[in-house]
Amino acid sequence: MPVKLSVVVPVKDEAENIAPLAREIAAATAPLGETEIIFVDDGSSDGTAAILLGLKAEIPALRVISHATNLGQSRATRTGVRAAKGEIVVTLDGDGQNDPADIPNLVAPFDRGDASLGLVGGVRAKRKDTSARRVASRLANAIRQGLLHDGAVDSGCGLKAFRREAFLALPYFDHLHRFTIAMMLREGYRVEFVPVNHRPRLHGASKYTNFNRMLVGIYDLFGVRWLQRRMRGKTEAKEL
């Protein structure tokens, strides 16, 4: 049967979180029609890939793709989207903090048949992060708004739904996952936002610190601004 929806989850050393997360995704997407669930193991060293392979018999929709080395979240996401068979793709983080129960609300706006809608982004209503991370996130979002004007008040939320074709048309660069909204707008697509749940991390530790987020974010912001200013806009093209 043709796949209606693809769920892509990039993971790195999340052995304790992936089994319950995969089961939650399967349950949340069951009413949505034919769905595939793609976990991309980004060079884990804790047995993540083995646990995912063990889940395939339990969850027939599960696909597992493995990077031989760690290439980062954006690259893992792109690997999953390229392998996806659905027209609509949903991404979420592999640490269990994003709630799979929100997936139907992210996908619903695409059912209106509006071809101009490229992406629906989640906005975490009640963050379960530390106070330091919440403050850093608010500051980072304020700075990016001043430069990019993309309307993203929660660019770090991993829950996003988008058209696969639109995503693959975006210029790829490392850390793209933090700027997908701005890049969708650059290509002429509309973006919508919906509130989503956010949960505390139960196992493991975050792969990012406030400092390394800020450091790479500075370079990325100016790079994305450069890309925005060098786009002449979207136009219809037809063969004569």
Side-chain angles (χ1 to χ4, degrees):
M1 294 179 64
V3 173
K4 179 180 179 182
L5 175 69
S6 299
V7 179
V8 172
V9 189
V11 290
K12 169 72 165 71
D13 293 333
E14 296 287 0
E16 295 180 291
N17 294 312
I18 50 177
L21 179 60
R23 294 183 182 111
E24 283 187 287
I25 295 171
T29 57
L32 301 180
E34 193 67 18
T35 301
E36 63 178 358
I37 304 168
I38 304 173
F39 274 74
V40 181
D41 174 36
D42 187 32
S44 294
S45 58
D46 68 345
T48 291
I51 292 173
L52 287 169
L53 288 174
L55 287 169
K56 286 175 67 69
E58 177 186 341
I59 306 173
L62 179 62
R63 298 172 60 192
V64 182
I65 301 174
S66 180
H67 284 171
T69 57
N70 175 235
L71 298 174
Q73 185 173 344
S74 286
R75 185 69 172 272
T77 299
R78 184 168 180 260
T79 293
V81 176
R82 290 181 67 182
K85 300 174 183 177
E87 178 185 354
I88 303 300
V89 176
V90 171
T91 61
L92 66 159
D93 293 337
D95 56 13
Q97 290 195 263
N98 295 145
D99 191 345
D102 287 311
I103 292 176
N105 292 333
L106 287 168
V107 174
F110 291 100
D111 293 335
R112 299 196 300 260
D114 181 359
S116 69
L117 179 62
L119 180 146
V120 178
V123 177
R124 291 167 287 188
K126 295 181 180 179
R127 297 281 297 270
K128 301 300 181 181
D129 292 325
T130 63
S131 57
R133 176 158 291 180
R134 291 196 298 269
V135 170
S137 179
R138 284 196 293 269
L139 177 61
N141 280 314
I143 293 172
R144 60 173 289 128
Q145 272 303 304
L147 283 173
L148 304 183
H149 309 289
D150 60 2
V153 296
D154 188 9
S155 60
C157 181
L159 262 171
K160 295 180 178 70
F162 48 77
R163 298 187 187 277
R164 177 180 181 272
E165 179 182 58
F167 180 88
L168 293 178
L170 303 180
Y172 174 76
F173 53 92
D174 201 15
H175 305 125
L176 170 63
H177 67 280
R178 295 176 182 153
F179 300 94
T180 311
I181 293 167
M183 291 292 94
M184 282 283 182
L185 293 171
R186 174 184 181 268
E187 293 293 324
Y189 288 100
R190 285 197 314 104
V191 171
E192 295 183 10
F193 300 96
V194 298
V196 296
N197 187 28
H198 192 235
R199 309 183 295 190
R201 175 187 268 273
L202 297 180
H203 305 285
S206 173
K207 309 301 183 295
Y208 305 101
T209 65
N210 290 336
F211 178 75
N212 63 29
R213 283 177 190 265
M214 180 185 70
L215 191 62
V216 299
I218 292 171
Y219 292 105
D220 292 339
L221 271 173
F222 288 104
V224 171
R225 183 62 184 141
W226 184 89
L227 286 169
Q228 284 181 324
R229 295 177 66 179
R230 278 152 183 80
M231 182 66 174
R232 292 197 172 189
K234 189 175 182 180
T235 187
E236 180 184 355
K238 60 181 180 181
E239 184 173 354
L240 304 177

